[in-house]
Amino acid sequence: MKNKIIEYCLKKKGATKDYPFGFDPIVIKVAGKMFALIFDDKGEYSYINLKCDPVIADNLREQHDYVSPGYHMNKKHWNTITIGSTLLESDVFAMIDHSYDLVVQKLPKRLRESISEPN
């Protein structure tokens, strides 16, 4: 599932892959701003950090065991999602969409208009 997630992130308009912290994590950015960090665990699972509205972030953490406060990130605005067997691909993709949209919304108008995706 990790490779599908990376592929999905990179299909976002303006998305680029970067390694600013070394080989791990893979950082996906739009206009130089991070919206996804994908960590490889040496065990059974991988993890993805995604930006999230604080109210939604709290709800997701309460509802799902696989969602926790962002690892090495601002815990109010980022979630860490454990990519494992109980997680639906569509749920991860929806969270990626939300993260991407939050980052794009904060970009200067000129950049936002040049990369915004129609919904």
Side-chain angles (χ1 to χ4, degrees):
M1 183 191 249
K2 179 185 150 198
N3 289 334
K4 284 184 179 181
I5 289 171
I6 294 168
E7 185 178 310
Y8 185 81
C9 288
L10 291 173
K11 285 182 180 178
K12 295 293 201 182
K13 192 167 183 186
T16 59
K17 182 168 47 169
D18 195 8
Y19 297 90
F21 310 113
F23 180 70
D24 194 47
I26 298 168
V27 178
I28 311 295
K29 298 179 179 184
V30 59
K33 304 288 184 186
M34 299 185 294
F35 72 92
L37 292 88
I38 303 159
F39 297 85
D40 237 347
D41 188 22
K42 304 305 179 231
E44 186 177 343
Y45 300 106
S46 293
Y47 303 90
I48 183 170
N49 282 2
L50 296 169
K51 194 164 184 96
C52 192
D53 175 271
V55 174
I56 295 171
D58 286 340
N59 287 336
L60 288 170
R61 293 172 196 165
E62 289 174 11
Q63 294 173 12
H64 305 288
D65 290 337
Y66 55 79
V67 179
S68 59
Y71 174 70
H72 283 300
M73 304 298 281
N74 180 322
K75 310 270 186 249
K76 182 177 178 182
H77 296 279
W78 289 82
N79 278 338
T80 296
I81 296 91
T82 304
I83 302 167
S85 60
T86 62
L87 183 59
L88 295 176
E89 189 176 270
S90 60
D91 290 340
V92 177
F93 290 170
M95 289 185 243
I96 290 168
D97 292 344
H98 178 67
S99 180
Y100 176 85
D101 291 343
L102 284 174
V103 172
V104 168
Q105 288 171 6
K106 294 290 184 184
L107 295 173
K109 185 177 180 180
R110 177 183 54 80
L111 280 174
R112 189 175 58 244
E113 289 174 349
S114 71
I115 63 169
S116 65
E117 289 186 336
N119 288 337

